[in-house]
Amino acid sequence: IGELEKVFQVENDYYETLTQAVNAASSGSTITMLQDYETENIVIAKTRLSLDLGGHTLSITGDTAGNGISFSGSIFSITNGNIIDGRDSSRNGGYTAIMIGAAQTLEVTKVTVKIYDSLNTSSLNNVAFRMEPGSTLTLGEDSRIVSDSTDNANSGSIGVVVLGTGSMTSTTNLYLTDDAEISVGQFGISGNGSVGNSESDSDSDTGISVDKNKDYRGTYIEISNNSKVSATNGWGIYHPQDGVLVIEDEASIKGITGIEMRAGTLELLGGTVESTKTVNTFESNANGNGPTTKGVGIAIVQHSSKLEVDVDIVAGDVKGYYAVYEENLQENDDESVAKVDISISG
């Protein structure tokens, strides 16, 4: 019997696989990775654990679609290294690198997560983080989400999918702080517009697999300090759900359209929101299943769900063919349009 290969360390013990290390770890333990490691889909159900990548790379391999690493414990943190989801070599889409289960908490610091862009002809995106209702994700110091693109696959990726709880009483919470960065293809951050009834579609054009009968309202997203969110060929932030989006400090949001608000509240307290569309043109078309507008800094287009839209621009720089654009593309009735409120000051 050969000597145990020391890949993971938990206190004074060593393990060959991540599953063994997780099973052996007690609450409050730190699992330290001692060398690069490959794993197929794995569920981590322990609570209050820390994974220190030790400057190494954790690669998600195999050909099983869906979630690569699923967190269903309670509180978890990942630090210091790289995570690569290399499963979609054919770039067909539908792969999620990390899933944060309902009501779970994950904190990420000094970690780069890399995913593939799916083919531009694909109906599905690949996702770095998927947040289930009630979960909390903090992308902290020097954390990055990036996508690997090619000529025919340079838009099929989402940095973070935020699925709300169905209520603003208890929300799904995303925080970007301390120079965190998202740089992907189609959506830096995206919610979902389903309100759980037959009158509203479920934003299938975003390429997010969801239950359209569920209500995904109830999110809180805060982007602060020098954090950056960008989408090379899409929307920095697509916000079709009832929730709160706060941009402040020196944060930067960029995309063909920087932010598209179809429902919910935007508080722009600082930073930059910018359209990076290289051709000086503007496009805007009705869409009950996804985003509508290209070429502007902030687009305000009430969704077919007819929810309130409240945009408060207090400070910061907004740039585009139009800096701010509002239109009733869905031809919602007057009562619904009266729920749209825009304030620009300072």
Side-chain angles (χ1 to χ4, degrees), residues 3-19:
E3 182 180 354
L4 173 71
E5 185 178 5
K6 298 177 179 179
V7 184
F8 295 95
Q9 181 177 359
V10 182
E11 296 180 353
N12 295 321
D13 296 318
Y14 298 92
Y15 303 91
E16 291 183 308
T17 71
L18 180 55
T19 298

Side-chain angles (χ1 to χ4, degrees), residues 59-74:
S59 299
I60 305 168
T61 59
D63 56 7
T64 303
N67 305 318
I69 303 172
S70 300
F71 291 101
S72 61
S74 179

